Amino acid sequence: MRLGIFGGSFDPPHLGHLLPVIDAAESLGLDAVRFVPAAVQPFKIGRAGASPADRLAMTERLVAGVPGFSVDAAEVTRPGLSFTVDTLATMAAEHPDAELVLLLGADAYALLDEWREPERIRQLATIAVLVRGGDRMPDTGARTGVRLLQTRRVDISSTELRARVADGRTIRGFVPDAVAAYIAERRLYR
């Protein structure tokens, strides 16, 4: 089994997260993809707008109905900071016969050497770097186990969506209706 892992804050999750991952899953022949919302990202301490539980619930609504896609609550339920290396180690132990493929945006890949145990991350998973259409391909040097994938460009950011909600503007069309409804019901980002 080839298992894709896509982590992030998902604050809120949107189609800019989903559509490139669908492309990557098809291109890489992934059997399944797990979206993994971080409880507390080390690079974003104190910057989350919604609680980990709300971001988990919204991410579940984002992937609902996409075959093979699911949400993993490991980082939300694990105490402390969310580290990708811990998540990958857990998934490798739970799925010893699976090939793990860590899906990263080019911006996240550029910071990989600053993450906790980057070499162990590289040992645990193949890394697929999702490069948005029109962006320059990052330099991977002589690294093996890194695959560059050109994906569609979807210019949506969570920062923009939080600002739209705070200003009373719609986010419909940027997120699935179920995510927009959840944000409205919970009065998030106001």
Side-chain angles (χ1 to χ4, degrees), residues 30-177:
L30 301 179
D31 298 298
V33 175
R34 302 261 177 90
F35 278 62
V36 185
V40 180
Q41 270 198 357
F43 293 115
K44 296 183 178 182
I45 293 173
R47 293 189 354 211
S51 72
D54 283 329
R55 292 184 289 105
L56 178 70
M58 288 186 287
T59 306
E60 288 169 343
R61 286 157 175 78
L62 177 75
V63 304
V66 180
F69 281 34
S70 62
V71 176
D72 189 306
E75 292 186 4
V76 170
T77 58
R78 186 171 54 234
L81 296 176
S82 299
F83 293 106
T84 299
V85 68
D86 297 334
T87 301
L88 290 174
T90 299
M91 288 189 181
E94 291 173 353
H95 305 282
D97 296 330
E99 176 190 352
L100 302 182
V101 180
L102 179 63
L103 305 170
L104 296 177
D107 54 343
Y109 178 74
L111 298 173
L112 183 61
D113 286 334
E114 297 176 32
W115 293 13
R116 177 177 278 184
E117 299 185 57
E119 288 307 316
R120 182 142 186 253
I121 290 171
R122 290 181 181 97
Q123 292 167 358
L124 290 166
T126 298
I127 298 172
V129 182
L130 312 182
V131 182
R132 296 186 306 180
D135 286 355
R136 193 173 63 83
M137 290 289 205
D139 180 15
T140 60
R143 296 207 186 273
T144 58
V146 177
R147 178 133 181 228
L148 298 176
L149 293 175
Q150 193 78 47
T151 63
R152 70 183 69 229
R153 181 173 203 88
V154 182
D155 284 327
I156 303 173
S157 76
S158 295
T159 301
E160 172 194 9
L161 296 182
R162 291 191 302 270
R164 289 182 69 85
V165 172
D167 292 343
R169 295 182 291 153
T170 186
I171 58 170
R172 297 216 182 259
F174 295 87
V175 299
D177 287 346

